Amino acid sequence: MDRFSNNNITVATTEERFWFMRRPVQLILDLLVLSTAFLLSYVLRFDFHLPEYFLNNALDQLPFVVLVQFIALFLVGGYALIWRYVSLEDAKFFLWAAVASAVFLLVGRLLLPPSFERWQVPVSVTLITTILGFGGVFGLRMLRRSVYEVYEKRGHSTGRKQAKRQTALFVGAGRTGAIAVKEILKRGDSGLEIKGFVDDDRNKRGGSVNGVKVLGTTHDLPRLVEEMQINQVILALDRTSGKDVRRITEICQEINIKTRIVPSLHEIVDGQVQLERIRDVQIEDLLGREPVALDKEGLSEFLTEKTVMVTGAGGSIGSELVRQICEFKPKKLLLVERAEFNLFEIDRELKQIFPDINRVPLIADTCDKTRMTEIFDEFRPAVVFHAAAHKHVPLMEQNPCEAIKNNVFATETVARLAGQFKAEAFVLVSTDKAVNPTSVMGASKRLAELAVQSLNQQLSTRYMAVRFGNVLGSTGSVVPLFREQIRKGEPITVTHRDMTRYFMTIPEASQLVLQAGAIGMGGEIFILDMGEPVRIVQLAEDLIRLSGFQPYEDIDIVFTGIRPGEKMFEELEISGEGLVRTQHAKIFIGKIAAAAPAEVKQMLLRFAEAVTRADAGEIRSLLNEFLPEASIEVPTETQKQFALNLRKNALREGNDEAAAIAS
């Protein structure tokens, strides 16, 4: 038995203090219960007047009957159960054992010849002993669990220095709330005293969950908090709507009460709500949306037992993609990443969470065609998710050559290799900034989409792109930046008071990327339902409040002006093109015409020449030339030089009309 020592005093564990917890004693207790049940069955059968003849029969039959019941209980797995964790769900094992032993005894009653009359158990006795015996051994286990929980609760309360208990109200008297409260009630070290539930379902008012009463609705929170001297409000909603979380959080902020939240069951892999999972409300909760309903059968067909490659596997989206893919048990998972530390971190995480997944961490730059060819040749991936990209808008404005190399040429390289090595599907992770782009980053992603659509017309691989807006918490996004500024006590910097963006969580975005890949036929540009746009200044104010401060008082917000390439608001579709619904409610297909492969080839050649010369100005001009919907700022001198180059090329090719237009 495990022991722990404190100041040279050896303290017995719970298992040692309760002698009946040990396995031999458990068997003896089962023997006593089953034996008593069998003898009592005879007594009941004869209305408490048991003749001596039948008493002798009962004593002769007792070892045989109890042995049959023991064997039945063992065969169905009844002795594999740990007594302290037995639950009502485990009753099925005892039911199966009861049926098996009863059938055996009844068949013996019918088939044994008359000479074995002393061994033939009466039918009524068989039925009674089955009910009493197996009901008794199951009840014994439930009693043992109850005693253990009571002892543990007392042990935590008396064995440790207990902090002052916090009074709490739970919002949500559904399944999540019921499980969370049950967990807290059985632990003595929670430090929480649950005063009641509130729930907006008025039919629940006056009822109780696990002995805790439903006291009112969320509108009653201010009154209940004051009357009952509540220290904190805990949200335990079965369906965590961002709108509801925001409304309740604002109520609590007005009355200056701490708000915490229990993740809803769809967010928890094992379906259990543990005390440690109760956390402070986060910005993701305020912007939360309905959980994604996945076509798991379709995704299993798409991913299970296949070699899957994810480029940019150490990034925000790439790392979540690999986590989601692991749930569908691929044959092999290729983690392609050029940042050594990021690759090490995601590989280490997957090893701990998904030890059975065959992972292959591969340090590689997707711009390196030779290295990527080696990887495709060796592993032959069936599905490729291309998440590697440069995505920071202001940085790409300053480094347009790198944006084209990584976002366009690397995409074309990986996509072409996917077709060359007969991959089934290639999915490009794109962005809403590719719509009517005003930035080099957005325009480069639009070019990547055109390249992918072009390959779909030439090769047998299914090529798709998936566009979505900003993801909360991704590397380099506003939320981590705002949190860092709050941590340092600095003013939060927002570019413009009216700037808006679409947001979704990283898990939701990744799930929808997988789903789009599974339903795509090839050539589509999928557009995800991003919900309603969010004002960046509101996001900043929410983060300040959730950090325990007041906006403009404790933490200021300053407006710095729109940066080069940024839009005031993002678009999710090209104007006039429209959207087509898919079988998934949150995934649409943009009716976006693909360019002819010859045009795309010529476009890539022109960009390659500009990149070779490191001519940033020409790259900007080329973006405007090849993307009519784009409006990329080009310096005046660059425009003049670009026109001059066009005229020279036209004259060299003998095209006088083009030369005149360029002039």
Side-chain angles (χ1 to χ4, degrees), residues 529-603:
D529 174 13
M530 297 293 297
E532 296 298 321
V534 176
R535 291 175 66 228
I536 301 300
V537 67
Q538 182 183 21
L539 191 70
E541 291 171 353
D542 288 337
L543 276 168
I544 292 171
R545 292 191 184 97
L546 291 176
S547 301
F549 302 107
Q550 285 300 315
Y552 309 105
E553 295 179 9
D554 304 314
I555 301 289
D556 198 10
I557 298 176
V558 297
F559 300 96
T560 58
I562 297 178
R563 296 172 295 183
E566 283 189 324
K567 295 181 181 180
M568 185 70 75
F569 58 91
E570 300 289 6
E571 304 162 272
L572 289 179
E573 62 174 289
I574 293 178
S575 178
E577 294 290 342
L579 300 174
V580 177
R581 290 187 175 275
T582 67
Q583 61 258 45
H584 196 285
K586 291 187 177 183
I587 301 176
F588 301 86
I589 299 173
K591 296 170 65 177
I592 304 166
E599 294 178 12
V600 174
K601 181 179 180 180
Q602 181 63 26
M603 174 191 75

Side-chain angles (χ1 to χ4, degrees), residues 424-426 452-453 456-457 459-465 516-517 519-526 589:
E424 297 173 15
F426 175 94
V452 166
Q453 284 184 308
N456 190 72
Q457 301 174 58
L459 300 168
S460 60
T461 297
R462 293 184 291 119
Y463 290 93
M464 298 146 278
I519 65 178
M521 302 300 294
E524 302 97 336
I525 294 180
F526 290 103
I589 299 173

Side-chain angles (χ1 to χ4, degrees), residues 338 367 390 396 399-408 611 619:
R338 70 178 181 180
C367 293
H390 287 324
M396 292 307 100
N399 300 274
C401 291
E402 295 305 310
I404 298 301
K405 283 196 288 187
N406 199 34
N407 291 358
V408 182
V611 168
I619 285 175

